[in-house]
Amino acid sequence: MTYADVTIDSGHHESPEVITSRELVGVWLFIAGDCVILIALLFTYLYLRGLNTAQQWLPTGVHGASTLMAWLTVAVVAASAWAIWSGENAITRARPAASLQLVLATLLALVGAGLSIQAIASIPHATNATSGVGQVAGSYASTLLAIDISNLVHLVVLVFLGLGVAARTKKGLISLERPGHARLVRIFWVWVTASVTAAAITTTIFVASPK
C-alpha cells in the first residue's frame, strides 16, 4: 500500500485533472500579474519618451542602443518555445525524445539569457563629470535597462523551469499519464516569448522622442 492509497479522514483524494486545473488557474493568475508589470514598464518607457524633460530622453551625443541583441534574443527564445512545445507533445505521445527536446529548450533559454546580458552591456553609458563613474545616459537608457533586466530575470526563470521539467520527465514523474506540469511550463514559456517580443518591438520602433 502506498501513501496515495491511504484515505484521510479529514478529506478526500483529488484526481490529477482537478489538481492540474487548479495549478493552471494559478499560472494564469501569475501571468496576469506579470502582464501588468510588463505594461507598466512599456508605459513608463513610452511616457518618458513622449515627455522628454529637459531633452534628457536621449541627451546630446547619446544614440539609441543596437536592437540586434534584442531581436537575437527574440529568435532564440522563440526557438526554445518551439522546443518546449515539441517536448510536451513528445510526452503526451510517449516518445523517448521528450527529455532531449526539453534540455534543448533549456539550453536555448540559457543562450537567450546570455544575449540579454549582452544587451544590458550595450546600453548607452556616459561618464559623470564629477565622479568619473560611468552611468546610464538619460531616461531612455534607464528605462531600457529596466526592460532588459526584466527580460533577463524571465529567461533565468525559464532555465530553472526547463531543468526541472527535463529532470522530472527523465525520472518518469512527468509522463503520458501525468503531463500536467509540462503543460504549465509550456504556457509560461510562451508568455515569456510574447513578453520579450513585445519589449523588442516597442524599443525598436519608438526610440527618438517626438519632442
Side-chain angles (χ1 to χ4, degrees):
M1 179 180 293
T2 65
Y3 178 78
D5 297 322
V6 177
T7 301
I8 302 175
D9 293 336
S10 60
H12 62 277
H13 295 293
E14 296 179 320
S15 66
E17 292 77 12
V18 172
I19 295 173
T20 300
S21 177
R22 186 169 60 242
E23 292 174 340
L24 183 60
V25 171
V27 168
W28 280 115
L29 288 174
F30 182 83
I31 289 174
D34 204 27
C35 184
V36 171
I37 295 174
L38 174 65
I39 291 172
L41 285 171
L42 298 184
F43 173 80
T44 301
Y45 177 92
L46 294 173
Y47 176 75
L48 292 177
R49 170 182 173 270
L51 197 62
N52 194 20
T53 303
Q55 302 299 307
Q56 287 302 303
W57 171 249
L58 275 173
T60 303
V62 177
H63 303 283
S66 170
T67 59
L68 176 62
M69 288 301 167
W71 286 105
L72 283 176
T73 303
V74 169
V76 170
V77 176
S80 74
W82 171 84
I84 203 78
W85 207 314
S86 298
E88 182 197 0
N89 286 336
I91 290 170
T92 57
R93 297 177 184 180
R95 292 177 179 172
S99 293
L100 290 177
Q101 289 170 315
L102 296 173
V103 169
L104 174 61
T106 304
L107 291 175
L108 287 171
L110 185 61
V111 172
L115 290 172
S116 289
I117 293 173
Q118 289 297 315
I120 291 172
S122 69
I123 290 175
H125 284 69
T127 302
N128 187 291
T130 303
S131 64
V133 177
Q135 59 188 28
V136 290
S139 50
Y140 162 79
S142 298
T143 50
L144 184 61
L145 177 62
I147 291 170
D148 284 345
I149 289 176
S150 175
N151 287 343
L152 177 59
V153 169
H154 281 85
L155 291 171
V156 170
V157 170
L158 290 190
V159 171
F160 280 101
L161 289 176
L163 288 173
V165 75
R168 288 173 62 82
T169 300
K170 186 69 175 178
K171 293 180 179 179
L173 299 175
I174 297 176
S175 62
L176 175 62
E177 295 77 19
R178 294 172 291 181
H181 285 172
R183 181 189 179 197
L184 298 177
V185 169
R186 184 258 300 168
I187 290 172
F188 183 71
W189 212 291
V190 172
W191 154 246
V192 172
T193 304
S195 172
V196 171
T197 303
I201 291 172
T202 302
T203 56
T204 297
I205 296 176
F206 304 103
V207 179
S209 175
K211 289 187 177 181

